[in-house]
């Protein structure tokens, strides 16, 4: 309604009368009636997210919004936002006038102060005035028209705050980065509000930024005149605060500031650089999303009351007391000590490694983080490189990755920060027959045809300095199988070598490994396409890639032909029922291929998009056909691009 009221009522009746006189509803009362009304109201405060009343409740009170804002929810399961009611708005009159139960649910979107009058006083005082009845009729007609139109109110401004535990730095870097990235990702208007503590009384000539209390009392056009144009097209506003304020005054002040500015901005980001405890504790009264810089991630506390805002924790390694963490989940966000961030690398293309966590954080705020599940399949897994190449070419972000078997080797290299072109070049080089021979180390004592040590010796050096999960650029996990329990084992800490080595241990072919008392084999035995792990890591969207094809009769691997030719020299092979059957090796590998294709598609059912390259003309051992296999991955992903773009919001 555009009225500006005193944010806090007092027990002084004359001040309460003055405040009520500013509200249109009470302008129809005579002075003595207004004074009587002022004495009949009680003041109640509702923090952000708190429910005032629910649809179906008895209508026993009448409300007037004094400060803050109420949201009116209706429709199926109260899922439709019907209206927002600001200072001066009457609420709850319909159920009192009609004698019905509440028709909608009211909730505070900010810290909100209401004036509350009971049903009897409402009837005795207000319903005897014809002009007030006429006013109520107009309000009811307007609300019924809005409700019957079936249209929801436009989504409200998202308010983000960035603060830190005492003594930690990084709030300004993170808040400005978030503002710029939200602008880049959405194209919407973004405001960055920088909060500074005012010490002393500056001279007028200094043109100091306004105090918070001054800003919320300004006319809106004057307040807009204080906005500056910042980098990357965002708007900036500097606000000063005093150190001697209470939690409620900070919270109420910032909530009112948001109400004054939200019509112009889709996102408002507060840089709460101060170490003031009252300021830190007030964020719940005006914030939707809090980004908190911490030394160590907080352990979840199920007994704690539900917060009215979402919190994301960020570990900033520029702080000397902070230590690296395994990069194996969407959260917590770990900001590396990368000087490039201070040199404008935030918006560079391709994304600078130091800026990767901030990009993921911004997409998490928007609910748009993308994770990719790379399935197993030996040589079939080379198709993953084609998949990732197409995603990268079309600017589809990949925020985290999970790999199984061959997918674990591709996933780790990608998460370590190697470019797709580098990975494809290495795949072509390692796929040469001369290189493949170097990976063979037959085992005599271990439970597998190959010991697997030479495969490790060939691959691990390619990772260079990236040896542990703490060294990764993007979150990554691998999956293996506990062969004694059948359980899937997600690996996201420790040595990268141990992680991929356990995941590629194909039963019978490559010897299993031991990890924390478990005997681990190929993850494809339990989860060939680990889409569920992508979800568990915190991705909002999941792309699952099942590279294992169904068997195609007549397609035979080179190794099978060699085995069959050698069998001809065995005179016993011409006798008995085995003469017309495939050899034991083919039976084992074909059985696993069939199992992994079917189980992989089933495990990928929770994914938003599934990619299935057509590799039925290939076999699992044909690494030397890397060019053709990668091209098949490219082809399959290009076919799925419309579906992928639609899911990530890039289809317009």
């Amino acid at each position: 309604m555009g009225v500006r009221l005193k944010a806090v009522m007092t027990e002084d009746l004359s001040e309460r009368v003055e405040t009520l006189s500013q509200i249109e509803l009470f302008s129809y009362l005579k002075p003595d009636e207004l004074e009587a009304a002022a004495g009949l109201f009680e003041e109640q405060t509702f923090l952000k997210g708190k429910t005032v009343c629910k649809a179906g409740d008895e209508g026993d009170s009448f409300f007037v919004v004094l400060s803050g804002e109420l949201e009116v929810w209706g429709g199926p399961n109260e899922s439709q936002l019907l209206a927002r009611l600001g200072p001066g708005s009457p609420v709850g009159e319909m159920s009192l006038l009609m004698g019905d139960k509440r028709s909608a649910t009211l909730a505070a979107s900010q810290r909100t102060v209401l004036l509350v009058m009971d049903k009897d006083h409402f009837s005795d005082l207000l319903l005897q005035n014809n002009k007030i009845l006429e006013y109520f009729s107009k309000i009811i007609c307007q609300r019924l028209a809005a409700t019957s139109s079936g249209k929801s109110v436009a989504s409200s401004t998202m308010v983000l705050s960035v603060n830190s535990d005492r003594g930690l730095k990084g709030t300004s870097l993170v808040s400005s980065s978030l503002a710029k990235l939200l602008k880049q990702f959405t194209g919407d208007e973004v405001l960055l509000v920088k909060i500074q503590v005012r010490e002393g009384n500056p001279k007028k000539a200094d043109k100091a930024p306004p105090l918070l209390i001054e800003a919320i009392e300004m006319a809106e056009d004057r307040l807009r005149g204080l906005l500056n144009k910042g980098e990357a097209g965002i708007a900036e506003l500097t606000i000063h605060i005093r150190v001697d304020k209470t939690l409620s005054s900070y919270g109420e002040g910032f909530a009112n500031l948001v109400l004054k500015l939200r019509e112009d901005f889709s996102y408002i980001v507060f840089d709460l650089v101060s170490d003031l405890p009252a300021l830190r504790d007030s964020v719940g009264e005006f914030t939707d999303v809090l980004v908190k810089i911490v030394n160590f991630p907080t352990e979840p506390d199920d007994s704690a009351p539900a917060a009215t805002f979402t919190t994301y924790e960020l570990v900033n390694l520029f702080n000397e007391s902070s230590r690296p963490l395994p990069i194996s989940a969407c959260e917590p966000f770990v900001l590396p000590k990368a000087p490039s961030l201070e040199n404008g690398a935030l918006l560079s293309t391709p994304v600078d490694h130091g800026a990767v966590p901030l990009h993921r954080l911004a997409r998490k705020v928007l609910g748009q983080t993308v994770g990719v599940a790379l399935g197993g399949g030996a040589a079939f897994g080379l198709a993953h490189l084609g998949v990732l190449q197409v995603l990268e070419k079309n600017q589809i972000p990949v925020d985290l990755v999970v790999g199984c078997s061959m997918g674990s080797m591709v996933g780790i290299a990608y998460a370590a920060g190697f470019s797709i072109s580098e990975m494809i070049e290495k795949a072509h080089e390692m796929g040469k027959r001369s290189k493949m021979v170097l990976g063979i180390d037959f085992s005599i004592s271990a439970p597998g045809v190959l010991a697997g040590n030479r495969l490790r010796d060939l691959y691990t050096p390619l990772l260079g300095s990236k040896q542990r999960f703490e060294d990764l650029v993007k979150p990554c996990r691998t999956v293996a199988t506990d062969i004694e329990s059948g359980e899937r084992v997600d690996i996201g800490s420790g040595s990268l070598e141990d992680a991929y080595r356990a995941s590629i241990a194909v039963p019978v072919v490559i010897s299993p490994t031991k990890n924390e008392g478990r005997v681990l084999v190929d993850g494809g035995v339990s989860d060939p396409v680990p889409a569920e792990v992508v979800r568990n890591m915190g991705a909002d969207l999941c792309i699952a890639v099942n590279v294992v094809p169904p068997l195609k009769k007549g397609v035979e691997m080179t190794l099978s032909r060699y085995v069959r030719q050698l069998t001809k020299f065995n005179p016993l092979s011409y006798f008995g029922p085995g003469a017309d059957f495939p050899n034991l090796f083919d039976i084992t590998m074909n059985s696993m291929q069939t199992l992994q294709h079917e189980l992989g598609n089933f495990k990928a059912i929770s994914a938003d998009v599934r990619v299935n390259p057509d590799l039925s003309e290939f076999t699992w051992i044909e690494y030397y056909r890397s060019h053709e296999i990668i091209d098949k991955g490219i082809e399959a992903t290009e076919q799925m691009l419309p579906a992928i773009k639609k899911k990530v919001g890039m289809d317009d």
Side-chain angles (χ1 to χ4, degrees):
M1 290 194 175
V3 297
R4 289 188 291 162
L5 307 177
K6 291 185 178 180
V8 179
M9 294 290 286
T10 71
E11 293 304 317
D12 189 314
L13 190 59
S14 61
E15 290 193 26
R16 181 170 290 194
V17 169
E18 180 184 350
T19 300
L20 290 179
S21 67
Q22 300 174 55
I23 301 173
E24 181 182 359
L25 167 64
F26 297 101
S27 66
Y28 303 115
L29 294 178
K30 297 175 182 179
D32 59 328
E33 293 173 327
L34 185 61
E35 186 172 328
L40 297 176
F41 276 109
E42 292 183 3
E43 183 181 318
Q44 293 185 12
T45 300
F46 293 84
L47 298 182
K48 179 178 178 293
K50 295 299 183 182
T51 300
V52 176
C53 61
K54 293 184 178 181
D57 287 353
E58 293 293 335
D60 55 6
S61 299
F62 169 65
F63 311 102
V64 176
V65 181
L66 180 61
S67 67
E69 180 189 67
L70 290 180
E71 291 180 337
V72 183
W73 293 88
N77 300 316
E78 285 73 58
S79 60
Q80 186 178 14
L81 180 58
L82 302 176
R84 293 193 190 89
L85 305 176
S89 299
V91 191
E93 74 289 337
M94 188 179 296
S95 60
L96 295 178
L97 291 169
M98 305 297 184
D100 293 335
K101 294 184 177 181
R102 302 288 189 193
S103 60
T105 294
L106 302 177
S109 65
Q110 304 286 345
R111 183 181 186 276
T112 301
V113 180
L114 300 180
L115 298 179
V116 185
M117 181 182 287
D118 65 35
K119 181 178 180 179
D120 292 338
H121 288 137
F122 175 83
S123 300
D124 293 342
L125 180 67
L126 301 181
L127 297 190
Q128 309 305 317
N129 188 307
N130 290 331
K131 289 186 177 180
I132 287 181
L133 288 175
E134 182 180 342
Y135 172 79
F136 280 142
S137 298
K138 179 180 70 173
I139 293 293
I140 291 171
C141 288
Q142 290 172 348
R143 291 178 182 172
L144 287 174
T147 303
S148 62
S149 69
K151 295 181 179 178
S152 296
V153 175
S155 58
S156 60
T157 298
M158 179 182 286
V159 180
L160 303 94
S161 294
V162 181
N163 69 10
S164 66
D165 284 343
R166 193 171 185 83
L168 299 182
K169 57 187 177 181
T171 58
S172 294
L173 171 63
V174 174
S175 57
S176 64
S177 297
L178 265 179
K180 294 171 187 175
L181 290 170
L182 289 172
K183 175 70 176 179
Q184 182 186 60
F185 292 165
T186 68
D188 294 335
E189 294 301 316
V190 180
L191 172 64
L192 173 63
V193 183
K194 301 177 180 180
I195 306 302
Q196 298 174 356
V197 174
R198 177 179 292 185
E199 298 178 356
N201 294 308
K203 298 177 182 178
K204 290 185 178 181
D206 293 340
K207 294 184 179 180
L211 286 166
L212 177 60
I213 188 62
E214 296 170 343
I216 62 177
E217 291 181 351
M218 283 181 185
E220 292 181 7
D221 56 347
R222 185 184 170 199
L223 183 59
R224 291 189 184 97
L226 297 177
L227 303 180
N228 299 311
K229 204 66 176 177
E231 297 179 30
I234 65 172
E236 294 183 355
L237 173 66
T238 301
I239 295 291
H240 279 187
I241 58 173
R242 296 286 192 186
V243 298
D244 57 349
K245 297 299 180 182
T246 62
L247 182 153
S248 60
S249 61
Y250 284 132
E252 186 173 357
F254 286 122
N256 285 323
L257 184 65
V258 168
L259 290 174
K260 293 178 74 72
L261 293 169
R262 69 173 188 190
E263 295 299 326
D264 297 325
F265 299 99
S266 297
Y267 301 93
I268 299 177
V269 182
F270 283 93
D271 175 9
L272 303 179
V273 70
S274 174
D275 279 339
L276 295 176
L279 179 59
R280 287 201 310 270
D281 295 342
S282 71
V283 294
E285 300 190 29
F286 62 93
T287 299
D288 299 309
V289 176
L290 171 65
V291 178
K292 186 176 183 180
I293 298 174
V294 297
N295 251 337
F296 305 100
T298 305
E299 291 294 329
D301 183 3
D302 295 334
S303 63
T308 59
F309 55 91
T310 301
T311 300
Y312 298 118
E313 293 185 329
L314 183 145
V315 175
N316 179 15
L317 296 183
F318 281 94
N319 291 306
E320 293 182 2
S321 55
S322 298
R323 295 291 177 265
L325 299 171
I327 311 299
S328 58
C330 188
E331 304 172 53
F333 301 87
V334 180
L335 194 63
K337 195 173 184 179
S340 57
L341 280 178
E342 299 176 325
N343 299 321
L346 178 71
L347 303 180
S348 62
T349 303
V351 179
D352 182 84
H353 289 177
V356 166
L358 294 172
H359 281 244
R360 188 173 76 253
L361 172 59
R363 278 192 288 272
K364 189 62 183 175
V365 167
L366 296 171
Q368 296 176 356
T369 53
V370 179
V372 178
L374 303 177
F380 300 132
L382 295 174
H384 292 313
L385 298 173
V387 174
L388 293 172
Q389 184 182 66
V390 173
L391 295 179
E392 193 172 275
K393 181 180 177 181
N394 287 272
Q395 299 182 332
I396 308 294
V398 177
D399 295 295
L400 53 87
V401 61
V402 181
C404 169
S405 197
M406 183 63 184
S408 73
M409 301 176 79
V410 173
I412 283 176
Y414 186 72
F418 291 95
S419 69
I420 296 299
S421 57
E422 287 179 295
M423 294 168 65
I424 290 177
E425 181 182 346
K426 290 296 182 183
H428 293 330
E429 180 184 341
M430 300 298 290
K432 296 176 181 178
R433 284 182 169 88
S434 57
K435 285 281 189 181
M436 290 177 61
V437 172
L438 297 177
I440 298 175
D441 56 348
F442 292 108
S443 171
I444 299 175
S445 57
V449 176
L450 303 179
N453 296 326
R454 288 190 180 178
L455 289 173
R456 184 178 55 198
D457 295 340
L458 284 173
Y459 182 77
T460 298
L462 302 179
L463 297 176
S465 61
K466 310 292 186 178
Q467 298 296 312
R468 299 183 61 80
F469 278 89
E470 288 86 345
D471 303 325
L472 295 178
V473 175
K474 297 184 177 185
C476 177
R477 291 184 192 176
T478 70
V479 296
T481 304
D482 184 330
I483 197 59
E484 295 177 315
S485 69
E487 295 176 319
R488 182 190 70 210
V489 178
D490 305 346
I491 305 175
S493 62
S495 162
L496 297 176
E497 179 181 281
D498 292 344
Y500 79 76
R501 175 62 182 82
S503 190
I504 66 170
V506 182
V508 180
V509 180
I510 301 176
S511 300
T513 66
K514 276 197 170 184
N515 185 297
E516 297 181 355
R518 293 174 178 254
V519 179
L520 302 180
V521 299
D522 194 311
V525 174
S526 58
D527 198 347
V529 185
E532 183 182 44
V533 183
V534 170
R535 298 291 192 191
N536 293 343
M537 289 172 67
D540 299 296
L541 303 168
C542 175
I543 301 171
V545 188
N546 186 6
V547 294
V548 177
L551 289 173
K552 185 175 182 179
K553 196 167 185 177
V555 176
E556 185 179 47
M557 71 181 81
T558 304
L559 186 59
S560 296
R561 290 196 292 271
Y562 289 154
V563 171
R564 192 173 62 254
Q565 290 170 3
L566 288 172
T567 303
K568 292 179 180 179
F569 296 98
N570 178 9
L572 298 179
S573 67
Y574 295 93
F575 301 97
D580 297 324
F581 286 90
N583 60 66
L584 179 61
F585 192 75
D586 278 349
I587 291 173
T588 301
M589 298 312 298
N590 288 354
S591 298
M592 287 193 63
Q593 182 171 330
T594 300
L595 171 68
Q596 291 205 7
H597 171 73
E598 298 295 340
L599 181 59
N601 283 342
F602 176 76
K603 287 290 188 178
I605 200 168
S606 65
D608 296 284
V609 179
R610 191 181 76 205
V611 179
N612 287 90
D614 182 6
L615 299 172
S616 56
E617 298 291 341
F618 301 85
T619 65
W620 64 272
I621 202 173
E622 293 176 318
Y623 290 93
Y624 51 85
R625 298 178 69 182
S626 58
H627 287 86
E628 300 169 78
I629 294 175
I630 292 171
D631 285 345
K632 287 292 185 180
I634 292 172
E635 179 184 319
T637 311
E638 287 178 339
Q639 290 175 354
M640 297 303 297
L641 261 182
I644 294 172
K645 287 185 174 182
K646 183 176 182 180
K647 287 294 183 181
V648 299
M650 297 172 60
D651 57 332
D652 46 345

